Amino acid sequence: MLTELSKGLELEDQALKEAVGGDSLNLNLKINYYPPCPRPDVALGVVAHTDMSAMTILVPNDVPGLQILKDDLWINVDYVPNAIIVHIGDQIEILSNGIYKSVLHRSTVNKDKVRMSWPVFCSPPGDSVIGPLQQVVNEDNPPKYKAKMFKDYAYCKINKLPQ
Ligand SMILES: O=C(O)CCC(=O)C(=O)O
Ligand SMILES: [Fe+2]
């Protein structure tokens, strides 16, 4: 996937993989458990956010609930048996200088059924410096993001500090 995303930026095949740490990419599995909720009309499972990872690979159970924001509308992500869901995260947005967008998403809850999801966050090592790749910036497209270590980005995101 990173090869194809690199090609989409007209970069060498390995460019994004190397930028996110190559074989040192960190994979963190989180398990989300959303119990049935009597008022799904007023509650959310996870509030709207983007993932701070480079990419997220998510396996849901068969209870739909994930939504993504597209053209200012919340779109339901259908459950497709045996399919995985892949999110672009903040680090790919930064490396591409905003050409790829970190997807804004949230999850709803179900009145009767337990919903579960298993996202794997694929993130650079903490001391990797992530900023717009020099090949995608020029005079007409100046860097839109600061370059900083991933661990500092994560600290600011978790603590809701400006980046
Ligand atoms: O449960 C889901 O489908 C999404 C969960 C999520 O966005 C997250 O854990 O970051
Ligand atoms: Fe997420």
Side-chain angles (χ1 to χ4, degrees), residues 8-59:
L9 297 172
E10 297 179 356
L11 303 177
E12 290 191 3
D13 288 5
Q14 296 301 305
L16 282 176
K17 183 172 175 190
E18 275 169 21
V20 296
D23 292 336
S24 303
L25 189 72
N26 281 322
L27 306 178
N28 291 301
L29 169 68
K30 177 178 160 207
I31 302 176
N32 291 311
Y33 180 91
Y34 310 104
C37 172
R39 292 292 307 273
D41 53 326
V42 292
L44 282 171
V46 178
V47 296
H49 66 281
T50 60
D51 292 344
M52 70 172 97
S53 56
M55 281 188 348
T56 304
I57 297 172
L58 185 141
V59 178

Side-chain angles (χ1 to χ4, degrees), residues 1-6 8-9 16 20 49-58 66 68-69 85-105 120-123 145 153 157:
M1 272 185 275
L2 288 169
T3 302
E4 295 308 312
L5 290 171
S6 299
L9 297 172
L16 282 176
V20 296
H49 66 281
T50 60
D51 292 344
M52 70 172 97
S53 56
M55 281 188 348
T56 304
I57 297 172
L58 185 141
L66 179 63
I68 58 154
L69 194 71
I85 293 163
V86 180
H87 292 163
I88 298 280
D90 297 350
Q91 305 313 307
I92 295 282
E93 175 170 332
I94 294 168
L95 288 163
S96 72
N97 202 31
I99 295 174
Y100 294 131
K101 304 283 184 229
S102 186
V103 62
L104 189 66
H105 56 284
V120 175
F121 300 104
C122 310
S123 307
Y145 308 85
Y153 185 93
K157 180 122 179 170

